[in-house]
Each structure stands twice: as structure tokens, then as C-alpha cells.
Amino acid sequence: MINIDSLIRSFEPKSRNRKQIFNDFLFHVFTTIDKKITSEKRKRNQDKYIIMRQNLINYLIANERKVTSKLYR
């Protein structure tokens, strides 16, 4: 499973703009999970990670303020 805190720790922001940092973090999450999807050989596991990625991105967008505050710690 993928932990949001570990994704936050592995993220390195490139800009100082809050909105841009959040967008970069979403891209980081997307690409990290995409690497897991491409490394999986079984279609069933790929589908599981695709659904997990979509749910995680939806959660992050819905809780943008909380995630942004965690990114600045």
C-alpha cells in the first residue's frame, strides 16, 4: 500500500508558489504510482493500482489545505 506521509517525505518542491507546489506534488504522486503500475506484470494488480491512484488523487484534491500544510512542515 502507498502511504501519503512517505510520498510527502520523498517530494522535493521546485517552486515557492503554494498552488504550484501542490500541483507538483500531485504530479509526483501520479508518476510514483504509475511506476508501480508499469512494473506490475499482472493485469489484476495493475487495475488495483490504477483505482488506488485515482482514489488517492481525488482525496488529495478534496483535502488540498490539509495536504498543503503538511507539505510545508
Side-chain angles (χ1 to χ4, degrees):
M1 296 307 262
I2 297 174
N3 188 358
I4 295 174
D5 292 330
S6 66
L7 287 170
I8 288 174
R9 276 186 253 120
S10 67
F11 175 65
E12 303 253 345
K14 295 178 181 166
S15 70
R16 293 185 179 256
N17 184 355
R18 282 184 181 254
K19 188 66 174 174
Q20 186 62 38
I21 288 174
F22 182 73
N23 289 337
D24 289 343
F25 179 68
L26 287 178
F27 182 73
H28 172 71
V29 169
F30 186 88
T31 56
T32 302
I33 299 175
D34 195 46
K35 288 176 187 175
K36 285 193 179 280
I37 291 170
T38 56
S39 69
E40 278 296 325
K41 304 230 184 306
R42 301 173 87 193
K43 178 70 173 156
R44 185 175 183 189
N45 288 340
Q46 287 179 345
D47 292 341
K48 177 181 81 170
Y49 280 118
I50 290 170
I51 292 169
M52 185 186 313
R53 177 181 62 193
Q54 188 60 43
N55 290 338
L56 181 60
I57 289 175
N58 288 342
Y59 172 80
L60 292 173
I61 291 171
N63 297 300
E64 182 177 351
R65 280 190 167 171
K66 190 187 311 183
V67 173
T68 305
S69 69
K70 279 189 173 186
L71 285 172
Y72 276 100
R73 287 185 188 170

Coordinates of all heavy atoms in Angstrom, one line a residue:
M1 N 0.8 -1.2 0.0 CA 0.0 0.0 0.0 C 0.9 1.3 0.0 O 2.0 1.2 0.4 CB -0.9 0.0 1.2 CG -1.9 -1.1 1.2 SD -2.8 -1.3 -0.3 CE -4.3 -0.4 0.2
I2 N 0.3 2.3 -0.4 CA 1.0 3.6 -0.5 C 0.6 4.5 0.6 O -0.6 4.7 0.9 CB 0.7 4.2 -1.9 CG1 1.3 3.3 -3.0 CG2 1.4 5.6 -2.0 CD1 1.0 3.7 -4.4
N3 N 1.6 5.0 1.3 CA 1.4 5.9 2.4 C 1.6 7.4 2.0 O 2.6 7.7 1.3 CB 2.3 5.5 3.5 CG 2.1 6.2 4.8 OD1 1.2 7.1 4.9 ND2 2.8 5.9 5.8
I4 N 0.7 8.2 2.3 CA 0.7 9.6 1.9 C 2.0 10.3 2.6 O 2.7 11.1 1.9 CB -0.5 10.4 2.3 CG1 -1.7 9.9 1.5 CG2 -0.4 11.9 2.0 CD1 -3.0 10.4 1.9
D5 N 2.2 9.9 3.8 CA 3.4 10.5 4.5 C 4.7 10.2 3.8 O 5.6 11.0 3.7 CB 3.4 10.1 6.0 CG 2.3 10.7 6.8 OD1 1.8 11.8 6.4 OD2 1.8 10.0 7.7
S6 N 4.8 9.0 3.4 CA 6.1 8.6 2.6 C 6.2 9.3 1.3 O 7.3 9.7 0.9 CB 6.1 7.1 2.4 OG 5.1 6.7 1.6
L7 N 5.0 9.6 0.7 CA 5.1 10.4 -0.6 C 5.5 11.8 -0.3 O 6.2 12.4 -1.1 CB 3.7 10.3 -1.3 CG 3.3 9.0 -1.9 CD1 1.9 9.0 -2.3 CD2 4.2 8.7 -3.1
I8 N 5.0 12.4 0.8 CA 5.3 13.7 1.2 C 6.8 13.8 1.5 O 7.5 14.8 1.1 CB 4.5 14.2 2.4 CG1 3.0 14.4 1.9 CG2 5.1 15.5 3.0 CD1 2.1 14.8 3.0
R9 N 7.4 12.8 2.2 CA 8.8 12.8 2.5 C 9.7 12.7 1.3 O 10.8 13.3 1.2 CB 9.1 11.7 3.5 CG 8.9 12.1 4.9 CD 9.3 11.0 5.9 NE 8.1 10.4 6.4 CZ 7.8 9.1 6.3 NH1 8.6 8.2 5.7 NH2 6.7 8.6 6.7
S10 N 9.2 12.0 0.3 CA 10.0 11.8 -0.9 C 9.9 12.9 -1.9 O 10.6 13.0 -2.9 CB 9.6 10.5 -1.6 OG 8.3 10.6 -2.1
F11 N 9.0 13.9 -1.6 CA 8.7 15.0 -2.6 C 9.7 16.2 -2.3 O 9.9 16.6 -1.1 CB 7.3 15.5 -2.4 CG 6.9 16.7 -3.2 CD1 6.9 16.7 -4.6 CD2 6.6 17.9 -2.6 CE1 6.6 17.8 -5.3 CE2 6.3 19.0 -3.3 CZ 6.3 19.0 -4.7
E12 N 10.2 16.7 -3.4 CA 11.1 17.9 -3.3 C 10.5 19.0 -4.1 O 10.5 18.9 -5.4 CB 12.5 17.6 -3.8 CG 13.1 16.4 -3.1 CD 14.3 16.8 -2.2 OE1 14.7 18.0 -2.4 OE2 14.7 16.0 -1.4
P13 N 10.0 20.1 -3.5 CA 9.4 21.2 -4.3 C 10.4 21.9 -5.1 O 11.5 22.1 -4.6 CB 8.7 22.0 -3.2 CG 9.4 21.7 -2.0 CD 9.9 20.3 -2.1
K14 N 10.0 22.4 -6.3 CA 10.9 23.2 -7.1 C 10.6 24.6 -7.2 O 11.4 25.4 -7.6 CB 10.9 22.6 -8.5 CG 11.4 21.2 -8.6 CD 11.3 20.6 -10.0 CE 11.8 19.2 -9.9 NZ 11.5 18.4 -11.1
S15 N 9.4 25.0 -6.7 CA 9.0 26.4 -6.7 C 8.6 26.8 -5.3 O 8.5 26.0 -4.4 CB 7.9 26.6 -7.7 OG 6.7 26.0 -7.2
R16 N 8.2 28.1 -5.2 CA 7.8 28.6 -3.9 C 6.3 29.0 -3.9 O 5.7 29.2 -2.8 CB 8.6 29.9 -3.5 CG 10.0 29.6 -3.3 CD 10.8 30.8 -2.8 NE 12.1 30.5 -2.5 CZ 12.6 30.3 -1.3 NH1 11.9 30.5 -0.3 NH2 13.9 30.1 -1.1
N17 N 5.7 28.9 -5.0 CA 4.2 29.2 -5.1 C 3.4 28.0 -4.5 O 3.6 26.9 -4.9 CB 3.9 29.4 -6.6 CG 2.5 29.8 -6.8 OD1 1.7 29.8 -5.8 ND2 2.1 30.1 -8.0
R18 N 2.5 28.3 -3.6 CA 1.8 27.2 -2.9 C 1.0 26.4 -3.9 O 1.0 25.2 -3.8 CB 0.8 27.8 -1.9 CG 1.5 28.2 -0.6 CD 0.5 28.7 0.4 NE 1.1 29.1 1.6 CZ 1.1 28.4 2.7 NH1 0.5 27.3 2.8 NH2 1.8 28.8 3.8
K19 N 0.3 27.0 -4.8 CA -0.5 26.3 -5.8 C 0.4 25.4 -6.7 O 0.0 24.3 -7.0 CB -1.3 27.2 -6.6 CG -2.4 26.6 -7.5 CD -3.4 25.9 -6.7 CE -4.5 25.4 -7.6 NZ -5.5 24.6 -6.9
Q20 N 1.5 26.0 -7.1 CA 2.4 25.2 -7.9 C 3.0 24.0 -7.2 O 3.2 22.9 -7.8 CB 3.5 26.1 -8.5 CG 4.4 25.5 -9.5 CD 3.7 25.0 -10.7 OE1 2.8 25.7 -11.2 NE2 4.1 23.9 -11.2
I21 N 3.3 24.2 -5.9 CA 3.9 23.1 -5.1 C 2.8 22.0 -5.0 O 3.2 20.8 -5.1 CB 4.3 23.6 -3.7 CG1 5.6 24.5 -3.9 CG2 4.6 22.5 -2.8 CD1 6.0 25.1 -2.6
F22 N 1.6 22.4 -4.8 CA 0.5 21.3 -4.7 C 0.4 20.6 -6.0 O 0.3 19.4 -6.0 CB -0.8 22.0 -4.2 CG -1.9 21.0 -4.1 CD1 -1.9 20.1 -3.0 CD2 -2.9 20.9 -5.0 CE1 -2.9 19.2 -2.9 CE2 -3.9 19.9 -4.9 CZ -3.9 19.1 -3.8
N23 N 0.4 21.3 -7.1 CA 0.3 20.7 -8.4 C 1.5 19.8 -8.7 O 1.3 18.7 -9.3 CB 0.2 21.7 -9.5 CG -1.2 22.4 -9.5 OD1 -2.2 21.9 -9.0 ND2 -1.2 23.6 -10.0
D24 N 2.7 20.2 -8.3 CA 3.9 19.4 -8.5 C 3.8 18.1 -7.6 O 4.2 17.0 -8.0 CB 5.1 20.1 -8.1 CG 5.5 21.2 -9.1 OD1 5.0 21.2 -10.2 OD2 6.3 22.1 -8.8
F25 N 3.2 18.3 -6.4 CA 3.0 17.1 -5.6 C 2.0 16.1 -6.2 O 2.3 14.9 -6.1 CB 2.5 17.5 -4.2 CG 2.3 16.3 -3.2 CD1 3.4 15.6 -2.8 CD2 1.0 16.0 -2.8 CE1 3.2 14.5 -2.0 CE2 0.8 14.9 -2.0 CZ 1.9 14.2 -1.6
L26 N 0.9 16.6 -6.8 CA 0.0 15.7 -7.5 C 0.7 15.0 -8.6 O 0.5 13.8 -8.8 CB -1.2 16.5 -8.0 CG -2.2 17.0 -7.0 CD1 -3.3 17.8 -7.7 CD2 -2.8 15.9 -6.2
F27 N 1.5 15.7 -9.3 CA 2.3 15.0 -10.4 C 3.2 14.0 -9.8 O 3.4 12.9 -10.4 CB 3.1 16.1 -11.2 CG 3.8 15.5 -12.4 CD1 3.2 15.1 -13.5 CD2 5.2 15.4 -12.3 CE1 3.9 14.5 -14.5 CE2 5.9 14.9 -13.3 CZ 5.3 14.4 -14.5
H28 N 3.9 14.3 -8.7 CA 4.8 13.3 -8.1 C 4.0 12.1 -7.7 O 4.5 11.0 -7.9 CB 5.4 14.0 -6.8 CG 6.2 13.1 -6.0 ND1 7.4 12.6 -6.4 CD2 6.0 12.6 -4.8 CE1 7.9 11.8 -5.4 NE2 7.0 11.8 -4.4
V29 N 2.9 12.2 -7.1 CA 2.0 11.1 -6.7 C 1.7 10.3 -7.9 O 1.8 9.0 -7.9 CB 0.8 11.5 -5.9 CG1 -0.2 10.4 -5.7 CG2 1.2 12.2 -4.6
F30 N 1.2 10.9 -9.0 CA 0.8 10.3 -10.2 C 2.0 9.4 -10.8 O 1.8 8.3 -11.1 CB 0.3 11.3 -11.2 CG -0.3 10.6 -12.4 CD1 -1.6 10.3 -12.5 CD2 0.5 10.4 -13.6 CE1 -2.2 9.7 -13.6 CE2 0.0 9.8 -14.7 CZ -1.4 9.5 -14.7
T31 N 3.1 10.0 -10.9 CA 4.2 9.3 -11.5 C 4.8 8.2 -10.6 O 5.2 7.2 -11.2 CB 5.4 10.3 -11.9 OG1 5.8 11.0 -10.7 CG2 5.0 11.3 -13.0
T32 N 4.8 8.4 -9.3 CA 5.2 7.4 -8.4 C 4.3 6.1 -8.5 O 4.8 5.0 -8.6 CB 5.2 7.9 -7.0 OG1 6.1 9.0 -6.9 CG2 5.7 6.8 -6.0
I33 N 3.0 6.3 -8.6 CA 2.1 5.2 -8.7 C 2.2 4.6 -10.1 O 2.0 3.4 -10.3 CB 0.7 5.6 -8.2 CG1 0.7 6.0 -6.8 CG2 -0.3 4.4 -8.4 CD1 -0.6 6.5 -6.2
D34 N 2.4 5.5 -11.1 CA 2.5 5.0 -12.4 C 3.7 4.0 -12.6 O 3.6 3.1 -13.4 CB 2.6 6.2 -13.4 CG 2.3 5.8 -14.8 OD1 1.3 5.1 -15.1 OD2 3.1 6.2 -15.7
K35 N 4.8 4.3 -11.9 CA 5.9 3.4 -12.0 C 5.6 2.0 -11.4 O 6.0 1.0 -11.9 CB 7.1 4.0 -11.2 CG 7.7 5.2 -11.9 CD 8.8 5.8 -11.0 CE 9.3 7.0 -11.7 NZ 10.3 7.7 -10.8
K36 N 4.8 2.0 -10.3 CA 4.3 0.8 -9.8 C 3.4 0.0 -10.7 O 3.5 -1.2 -10.9 CB 3.6 1.0 -8.5 CG 4.5 1.3 -7.3 CD 3.7 1.2 -6.0 CE 4.6 1.5 -4.8 NZ 5.4 0.4 -4.4
I37 N 2.6 0.8 -11.4 CA 1.6 0.1 -12.4 C 2.4 -0.5 -13.5 O 2.1 -1.6 -13.9 CB 0.6 1.2 -12.9 CG1 -0.3 1.6 -11.8 CG2 -0.1 0.6 -14.1 CD1 -1.2 2.8 -12.2
T38 N 3.4 0.2 -14.1 CA 4.2 -0.4 -15.2 C 5.1 -1.5 -14.8 O 5.4 -2.4 -15.6 CB 5.0 0.7 -15.9 OG1 5.8 1.4 -14.9 CG2 4.1 1.8 -16.5
S39 N 5.5 -1.5 -13.5 CA 6.3 -2.6 -13.1 C 5.5 -3.9 -12.8 O 6.1 -5.0 -12.7 CB 7.1 -2.2 -11.8 OG 6.2 -2.1 -10.7
E40 N 4.2 -3.8 -12.6 CA 3.4 -5.0 -12.3 C 3.2 -5.7 -13.6 O 2.9 -5.2 -14.7 CB 2.0 -4.6 -11.7 CG 2.0 -4.3 -10.3 CD 2.3 -5.5 -9.4 OE1 1.9 -6.7 -9.8 OE2 2.9 -5.3 -8.4
K41 N 3.2 -7.0 -13.5 CA 3.0 -7.9 -14.7 C 1.6 -8.4 -14.8 O 1.1 -8.6 -15.9 CB 3.9 -9.1 -14.6 CG 5.4 -8.7 -14.4 CD 6.3 -9.4 -15.3 CE 7.7 -9.1 -15.2 NZ 8.1 -7.8 -15.2
R42 N 0.9 -8.5 -13.7 CA -0.5 -9.0 -13.7 C -1.5 -7.9 -13.9 O -1.4 -6.8 -13.3 CB -0.8 -9.7 -12.4 CG 0.2 -10.8 -12.1 CD 0.0 -11.4 -10.8 NE -1.1 -12.4 -10.9 CZ -1.7 -13.0 -9.8 NH1 -1.4 -12.6 -8.6 NH2 -2.6 -13.9 -10.0
K43 N -2.4 -8.1 -14.8 CA -3.4 -7.1 -15.1 C -4.3 -6.7 -13.9 O -4.7 -5.6 -13.7 CB -4.3 -7.6 -16.3 CG -5.4 -6.7 -16.7 CD -4.9 -5.5 -17.4 CE -6.1 -4.7 -17.9 NZ -5.8 -3.3 -18.1
R44 N -4.6 -7.7 -13.1 CA -5.4 -7.5 -11.9 C -4.7 -6.5 -10.9 O -5.4 -5.6 -10.4 CB -5.7 -8.8 -11.2 CG -6.6 -8.8 -10.1 CD -6.9 -10.2 -9.6 NE -7.8 -10.1 -8.5 CZ -8.1 -11.2 -7.8 NH1 -7.5 -12.3 -8.0 NH2 -9.0 -11.0 -6.8
N45 N -3.4 -6.7 -10.7 CA -2.7 -5.8 -9.9 C -2.6 -4.4 -10.5 O -2.6 -3.4 -9.8 CB -1.3 -6.3 -9.5 CG -1.4 -7.5 -8.6 OD1 -2.4 -7.7 -7.9 ND2 -0.4 -8.3 -8.5
Q46 N -2.4 -4.3 -11.8 CA -2.4 -3.0 -12.5 C -3.7 -2.3 -12.3 O -3.7 -1.1 -12.0 CB -2.1 -3.2 -13.9 CG -0.7 -3.6 -14.3 CD -0.5 -3.8 -15.8 OE1 -1.4 -3.9 -16.5 NE2 0.8 -3.8 -16.2
D47 N -4.8 -3.0 -12.4 CA -6.1 -2.3 -12.2 C -6.3 -1.9 -10.8 O -6.8 -0.8 -10.5 CB -7.2 -3.3 -12.6 CG -7.3 -3.6 -14.1 OD1 -6.7 -2.8 -14.8 OD2 -7.9 -4.7 -14.4
K48 N -5.8 -2.6 -9.8 CA -5.8 -2.2 -8.4 C -5.1 -0.9 -8.2 O -5.6 0.0 -7.5 CB -5.2 -3.4 -7.5 CG -5.2 -3.0 -6.1 CD -4.6 -4.2 -5.3 CE -3.1 -4.0 -5.3 NZ -2.4 -4.9 -4.4
Y49 N -3.9 -0.8 -8.7 CA -3.1 0.4 -8.6 C -3.7 1.6 -9.3 O -3.6 2.7 -8.8 CB -1.6 0.2 -9.0 CG -0.8 -0.5 -8.0 CD1 -0.2 -1.7 -8.3 CD2 -0.6 0.0 -6.7 CE1 0.6 -2.4 -7.3 CE2 0.2 -0.6 -5.8 CZ 0.8 -1.8 -6.1 OH 1.5 -2.5 -5.2
I50 N -4.3 1.3 -10.4 CA -5.0 2.4 -11.2 C -6.1 3.0 -10.3 O -6.3 4.2 -10.2 CB -5.5 1.9 -12.5 CG1 -4.3 1.7 -13.5 CG2 -6.4 2.9 -13.2 CD1 -4.6 1.0 -14.8
I51 N -6.9 2.1 -9.8 CA -8.0 2.6 -8.9 C -7.5 3.3 -7.7 O -8.0 4.3 -7.3 CB -8.9 1.4 -8.5 CG1 -9.7 0.8 -9.8 CG2 -9.9 1.7 -7.4 CD1 -10.3 -0.5 -9.6
M52 N -6.4 2.7 -7.1 CA -5.8 3.3 -5.9 C -5.3 4.7 -6.2 O -5.5 5.7 -5.4 CB -4.7 2.5 -5.4 CG -4.1 3.0 -4.1 SD -2.6 2.0 -3.6 CE -3.1 0.4 -3.7
R53 N -4.7 4.9 -7.4 CA -4.1 6.2 -7.8 C -5.2 7.2 -7.9 O -5.1 8.3 -7.5 CB -3.4 6.0 -9.1 CG -2.8 7.3 -9.6 CD -2.1 7.2 -10.9 NE -3.0 6.7 -12.0 CZ -2.6 6.2 -13.1 NH1 -1.3 6.2 -13.4 NH2 -3.4 5.7 -14.0
Q54 N -6.3 6.8 -8.6 CA -7.4 7.7 -8.8 C -8.1 8.1 -7.5 O -8.4 9.3 -7.3 CB -8.5 7.1 -9.7 CG -9.5 8.1 -10.1 CD -9.0 9.3 -10.9 OE1 -8.1 9.2 -11.7 NE2 -9.4 10.5 -10.5
N55 N -8.3 7.2 -6.6 CA -8.8 7.5 -5.3 C -7.9 8.4 -4.5 O -8.4 9.3 -3.8 CB -9.1 6.2 -4.5 CG -10.3 5.4 -5.1 OD1 -11.1 6.0 -5.8 ND2 -10.3 4.2 -4.8
L56 N -6.6 8.2 -4.5 CA -5.7 9.0 -3.8 C -5.6 10.4 -4.3 O -5.7 11.4 -3.6 CB -4.3 8.4 -3.8 CG -3.2 9.1 -3.1 CD1 -3.5 9.2 -1.6 CD2 -1.9 8.4 -3.3
I57 N -5.7 10.6 -5.6 CA -5.6 11.9 -6.2 C -6.9 12.6 -5.9 O -6.9 13.8 -5.6 CB -5.4 11.8 -7.7 CG1 -3.9 11.4 -8.0 CG2 -5.7 13.2 -8.4 CD1 -3.5 11.2 -9.4
N58 N -8.1 11.9 -5.9 CA -9.3 12.6 -5.5 C -9.3 13.0 -4.1 O -9.8 14.1 -3.7 CB -10.5 11.6 -5.7 CG -10.8 11.4 -7.2 OD1 -10.4 12.2 -8.1 ND2 -11.5 10.3 -7.5
Y59 N -8.7 12.2 -3.2 CA -8.6 12.5 -1.8 C -7.7 13.7 -1.6 O -8.0 14.7 -0.8 CB -8.0 11.3 -1.0 CG -7.7 11.7 0.4 CD1 -8.7 11.7 1.4 CD2 -6.4 12.0 0.8 CE1 -8.4 12.1 2.7 CE2 -6.1 12.3 2.1 CZ -7.1 12.4 3.1 OH -6.9 12.7 4.4
L60 N -6.6 13.8 -2.3 CA -5.7 14.9 -2.2 C -6.3 16.2 -2.6 O -6.1 17.3 -2.0 CB -4.4 14.6 -3.0 CG -3.5 13.5 -2.4 CD1 -2.4 13.2 -3.4 CD2 -3.0 13.8 -1.0
I61 N -7.1 16.2 -3.7 CA -7.7 17.4 -4.2 C -8.8 17.8 -3.2 O -8.9 19.0 -3.0 CB -8.3 17.1 -5.6 CG1 -7.1 17.0 -6.6 CG2 -9.2 18.2 -6.1 CD1 -7.6 16.5 -8.0
A62 N -9.5 16.9 -2.7 CA -10.6 17.2 -1.7 C -10.0 17.8 -0.4 O -10.7 18.6 0.2 CB -11.4 16.0 -1.4
N63 N -8.8 17.4 -0.1 CA -8.2 17.9 1.2 C -7.0 18.7 0.9 O -5.9 18.5 1.5 CB -7.9 16.7 2.1 CG -9.1 15.9 2.5 OD1 -10.0 16.5 3.1 ND2 -9.2 14.7 2.1
E64 N -7.1 19.6 0.0 CA -5.9 20.4 -0.5 C -5.3 21.2 0.6 O -4.0 21.2 0.7 CB -6.3 21.3 -1.6 CG -5.2 22.1 -2.2 CD -5.7 23.0 -3.4 OE1 -6.8 22.9 -3.8 OE2 -4.8 23.9 -3.8
R65 N -6.0 21.8 1.5 CA -5.5 22.6 2.6 C -4.7 21.8 3.5 O -3.6 22.2 3.9 CB -6.6 23.4 3.3 CG -7.1 24.6 2.6 CD -8.0 25.3 3.5 NE -8.2 26.6 3.0 CZ -9.0 27.5 3.5 NH1 -9.8 27.2 4.5 NH2 -9.2 28.7 2.9
K66 N -5.2 20.7 3.9 CA -4.5 19.8 4.9 C -3.2 19.3 4.3 O -2.2 19.3 5.0 CB -5.4 18.6 5.3 CG -4.8 17.8 6.4 CD -5.6 16.6 6.7 CE -7.1 16.7 6.9 NZ -7.8 15.5 7.2
V67 N -3.2 18.9 3.0 CA -2.1 18.4 2.4 C -1.0 19.5 2.2 O 0.2 19.2 2.4 CB -2.4 17.7 1.0 CG1 -1.2 17.3 0.2 CG2 -3.3 16.5 1.2
T68 N -1.5 20.6 1.8 CA -0.5 21.8 1.6 C 0.2 22.1 2.9 O 1.4 22.4 3.0 CB -1.3 23.0 1.1 OG1 -1.9 22.6 -0.1 CG2 -0.3 24.1 0.7
S69 N -0.6 22.1 4.0 CA 0.0 22.4 5.3 C 1.1 21.3 5.7 O 2.1 21.6 6.3 CB -1.0 22.5 6.4 OG -1.6 21.3 6.7
K70 N 0.8 20.1 5.3 CA 1.8 19.0 5.6 C 3.0 19.2 4.7 O 4.1 18.8 5.1 CB 1.2 17.6 5.4 CG 0.4 17.1 6.5 CD 0.0 15.7 6.3 CE -0.7 15.1 7.5 NZ -0.9 13.7 7.4
L71 N 2.8 19.7 3.5 CA 4.0 19.9 2.6 C 4.9 20.9 3.1 O 6.1 20.9 2.9 CB 3.5 20.2 1.2 CG 2.9 19.1 0.4 CD1 2.2 19.7 -0.9 CD2 3.9 18.1 0.0
Y72 N 4.4 21.9 3.9 CA 5.2 23.0 4.4 C 5.9 22.7 5.7 O 6.6 23.5 6.2 CB 4.4 24.3 4.5 CG 4.3 25.0 3.2 CD1 3.2 24.9 2.4 CD2 5.4 25.7 2.7 CE1 3.1 25.5 1.1 CE2 5.3 26.4 1.5 CZ 4.2 26.3 0.7 OH 4.1 26.9 -0.5
R73 N 5.6 21.6 6.3 CA 6.3 21.2 7.6 C 7.7 20.8 7.4 O 8.2 20.4 6.5 CB 5.5 20.1 8.3 CG 4.2 20.7 8.8 CD 3.6 19.6 9.6 NE 2.3 20.0 10.0 CZ 1.4 19.3 10.6 NH1 1.6 18.0 10.8 NH2 0.2 19.8 10.8

